[in-house]
């Protein structure tokens, strides 16, 4: 994915601390992160404040959930050498940005986010008519904007939150990106590109602003990106100037949609803790074996001699994730002709899941035995994240008149 070139190749994503992760998280999120961490500058964090928005009455389990989840990330292969791993509340800059953004956030924007009413309905037993819960998407916006990230890998359910993040960034830049002498400063910065490039830049800008020529915009952005003798401040000014806005202080991030998790639960529904249909990454081999052996199958196969239909069987969904063409063929034929029994059919799935989990569990055991290591990874990651967050915050404070020198 080609991210906005002026927002570099940083990505940010967070996960609420739900404790032990399962195969749904692994196939739906973690494998994606593990791939991304080698091509992008990644910030992955545990959203413990977000957990508090819904669990403020009983926060005691959160800490253990944070450590359990971090161990699972590490065990799955999210690497502290490739990505910055941290805990949200250890980077208080998120909170300051959240506060500052709250000043310019219209209440209606938050009330209109679909998850606001949905979750209140769904979690009826909890009183979610709180200030913190209303601010959930704004806190998420701060999580992303504090790193000036270009992309946010998330599932479909989070798209509305990225959308409001973009709107907040736009509003912020609109309000604070126009210094009093913006036009003069931008014109002076253009000159620094040299005569030829300056002329080209201005004509591309005109093409974009007057005719909406998207390609001209992209060429101009690339041109700007390649300039060596303009300062960071001028560069931001010019990216904004190019698009007819002020200085872009907080770039708008893009949602990087993770393809829908293809990992079904043991009962064929989506794998989720609340459906009690999960295989946890740290389930021991006996538990995994038992869970798969007791999975429901095509209800038409009452007796071993009854033929079945893979399409209506949750086990078949597992074969789609784990088995090659050869095994799938064997299942299709064996099931429809009653040539194989359901336990026969499940064995290759059991073997494949155990094979997948073995190295993960081996690493998890190492981290479990060395909790200090996990703590120091989180502490170092949090410090690293703070350094990046402080840079943004400094600019934000300046833009909002809070720089006090
Ligand atoms: N709301 C996200 C979820 O429930 C978690 C989250 C918090 C997040 N802050 C974020 C995701 C920032 C991406 C970026 O899954
Ligand atoms: Fe399902 Fe396999 Fe049994 Fe067919 S043989 S019903 S696919 S478990």
């Amino acid at each position: 994915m080609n991210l906005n070139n002026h927002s570099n190749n940083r990505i940010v994503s967070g996960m609420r601390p739900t404790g032990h992760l399962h195969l749904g998280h692994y196939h739906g999120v973690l494998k994606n992160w593990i791939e991304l961490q080698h091509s992008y500058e990644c910030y992955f964090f545990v959203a413990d404040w977000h957990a508090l928005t819904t669990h403020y009455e009983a926060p005691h389990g959160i800490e253990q959930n944070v450590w359990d989840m971090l161990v699972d990330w590490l065990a799955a292969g999210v690497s502290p050498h490739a990505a910055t791993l941290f805990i949200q509340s250890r980077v208080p800059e998120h909170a300051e940005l959240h506060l500052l953004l709250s000043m310019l956030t219209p209440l209606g924007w938050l009330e209109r986010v679909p998850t606001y009413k949905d979750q209140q309905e769904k979690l009826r037993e909890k009183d979610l008519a709180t200030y913190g819960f209303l601010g959930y998407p704004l806190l998420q916006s701060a999580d992303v904007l504090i790193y000036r990230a270009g992309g946010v890998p998330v599932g479909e359910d989070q798209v509305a939150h990225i959308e409001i993040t973009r709107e907040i960034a736009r509003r912020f830049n609109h309000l604070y990106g126009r210094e009093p002498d913006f036009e003069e400063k931008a014109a002076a910065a253009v000159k620094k590109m040299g005569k030829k490039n300056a002329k080209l830049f201005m004509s591309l800008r005109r093409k974009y602003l007057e005719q909406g020529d998207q390609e001209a915009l992209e060429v101009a952005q690339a041109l700007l990106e390649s300039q060596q003798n303009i300062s960071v401040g001028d560069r931001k000014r010019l990216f904004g100037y190019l698009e007819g806005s002020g200085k872009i202080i907080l770039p708008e991030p893009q949602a990087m949609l993770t393809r829908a998790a293809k990992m079904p639960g043991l009962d064929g529904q989506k794998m989720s803790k609340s459906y009690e249909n999960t295989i946890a990454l740290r389930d021991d081999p006996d538990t995994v074996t038992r869970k798969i052996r007791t999975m429901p199958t095509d209800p038409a196969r009452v007796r071993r001699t009854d033929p079945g239909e893979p399409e209506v069987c949750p086990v078949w969904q597992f074969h789609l994730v784990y088995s090659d063409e050869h095994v799938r063929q064997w299942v299709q034929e064996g099931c429809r002709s009653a040539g194989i029994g359901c336990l026969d059919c499940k064995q290759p799935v059991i073997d494949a899941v155990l094979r997948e989990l073995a190295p993960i569990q081996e690493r998890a055991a190492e981290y479990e035995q060395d909790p200090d290591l996990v703590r120091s990874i989180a502490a170092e990651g949090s410090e690293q994240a703070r350094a990046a967050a402080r840079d943004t915050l400094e600019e934000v404070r300046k833009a909002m008149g809070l720089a006090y020198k």
Side-chain angles (χ1 to χ4, degrees):
M1 181 172 201
N2 191 9
L3 300 174
N4 271 341
N5 35 22
H6 55 282
S7 48
N8 62 55
N9 74 333
R10 249 189 214 171
I11 66 178
V12 175
S13 199
M15 224 190 262
R16 277 171 300 166
T18 48
H20 291 279
L21 300 183
H22 52 65
L23 284 175
H25 297 112
Y26 181 65
H27 286 271
V29 184
L30 294 178
K31 273 167 71 177
N32 190 231
W33 285 10
I34 290 161
E35 226 177 276
L36 292 167
Q37 67 185 350
H38 301 298
S39 338
Y40 295 91
E41 183 190 348
C42 293
Y43 289 82
F44 297 136
F45 68 94
V46 185
D48 55 344
W49 280 332
H50 277 105
L52 271 183
T53 65
T54 50
H55 289 67
Y56 60 90
E57 283 181 299
H60 310 291
I62 294 178
E63 179 174 1
Q64 192 55 46
N65 284 350
V66 169
W67 298 124
D68 285 340
M69 197 164 85
L70 274 169
V71 167
D72 281 345
W73 288 5
L74 293 163
V78 182
S79 163
H81 305 294
T84 301
L85 309 180
F86 65 99
I87 300 171
Q88 184 186 35
S89 67
R90 294 289 170 86
V91 185
E93 285 76 8
H94 290 225
E96 185 174 336
L97 185 61
H98 177 215
L99 173 80
L100 294 176
L101 295 177
S102 77
M103 306 299 170
L104 54 132
T105 304
L107 267 185
W109 289 14
L110 294 172
E111 286 160 348
R112 254 185 282 117
V113 174
T115 43
Y116 179 58
K117 290 243 156 57
D118 288 358
Q119 291 292 100
Q120 280 185 336
E121 296 268 305
K122 216 163 132 198
L123 304 173
R124 269 257 171 74
E125 73 285 1
K126 295 191 172 128
D127 179 3
L128 293 183
T130 57
Y131 183 52
F133 187 68
L134 178 67
Y136 185 112
L138 189 63
L139 179 57
Q140 183 162 349
S141 302
D143 294 337
V144 173
L145 297 177
I146 195 80
Y147 300 103
R148 287 182 279 205
V152 192
V154 282
E156 193 69 55
D157 63 320
Q158 295 295 314
V159 170
H161 293 162
I162 306 308
E163 200 41 54
I164 190 171
T165 304
R166 294 167 61 86
E167 282 162 5
I168 301 276
R170 215 173 299 148
R171 184 163 162 82
F172 185 94
N173 294 329
H174 177 75
L175 288 171
Y176 307 113
R178 279 203 179 274
E179 312 137 285
D181 48 357
F182 179 73
E183 300 286 332
E184 290 82 1
K185 278 190 176 156
V190 173
K191 279 209 184 115
K192 290 185 196 148
M193 297 169 78
K195 227 180 191 158
K196 210 173 108 217
N197 282 336
K199 202 167 151 207
L200 175 60
F201 182 81
M202 290 307 283
S203 96
L204 289 166
R205 175 176 185 263
R206 215 169 309 114
K207 271 196 195 138
Y208 173 66
L209 290 180
E210 288 171 13
Q211 296 150 36
D213 185 338
Q214 198 63 36
E215 208 184 309
L217 173 67
E218 281 163 28
V219 175
Q221 283 171 338
L223 177 65
L224 200 47
E225 200 58 49
S226 73
Q227 295 303 306
Q228 317 248 311
N229 7 337
I230 15 190
S231 67
V232 179
D234 274 345
R235 201 182 290 274
K236 289 192 180 114
R237 224 165 255 125
L238 288 185
F239 273 119
Y241 182 61
L242 184 56
E243 296 185 48
S245 68
K247 188 169 167 183
I248 294 185
I249 301 166
L250 300 176
E252 290 176 39
Q254 293 175 23
M256 302 165 83
L257 268 194
T258 337
R259 11 172 196 63
K262 47 189 161 96
M263 193 65 225
L266 291 162
D267 55 1
Q269 299 185 78
K270 177 180 166 188
M271 188 178 278
S272 159
K273 221 174 208 170
S274 51
Y275 298 150
E276 297 182 30
N277 63 358
T278 66
I279 294 176
L281 296 184
R282 283 188 262 169
D283 276 348
D284 61 57
D286 285 345
T287 306
V288 172
T289 305
R290 179 179 46 76
K291 281 182 174 176
I292 298 174
R293 287 177 73 98
T294 54
M295 267 177 85
T297 59
D298 177 357
R301 291 204 76 179
V302 182
R303 278 175 304 249
R304 166 72 177 74
T305 48
D306 296 329
E309 174 50 55
E311 291 302 327
V312 301
C313 175
V315 179
W316 173 244
Q317 298 301 316
F318 273 63
H319 278 292
L320 290 177
V321 175
Y322 288 104
S323 300
D324 61 19
E325 198 41 51
H326 174 75
V327 173
R328 288 187 198 169
Q329 200 74 34
W330 169 78
V331 172
Q332 296 259 348
E333 282 166 22
C335 179
R336 292 185 178 130
S337 64
I340 59 171
C342 290
L343 286 177
D344 303 324
C345 179
K346 288 170 170 178
Q347 196 55 48
V349 171
I350 294 171
D351 295 339
V353 173
L354 292 179
R355 221 177 303 124
E356 179 171 72
L357 291 181
I360 295 178
Q361 298 190 346
E362 203 176 301
R363 278 193 297 263
E366 287 167 21
Y367 286 110
E368 275 178 293
Q369 277 158 25
D370 193 354
D372 284 346
L373 176 60
V374 181
R375 280 170 175 69
S376 76
I377 288 170
E380 257 173 56
S382 301
E383 278 316 308
Q384 231 170 294
R386 288 195 78 176
R390 267 189 226 115
D391 282 348
T392 307
L393 205 47
E394 206 172 296
E395 275 207 48
V396 167
R397 286 186 189 143
K398 225 188 282 169
M400 295 182 80
L402 302 167
Y404 308 117
K405 271 201 241 58

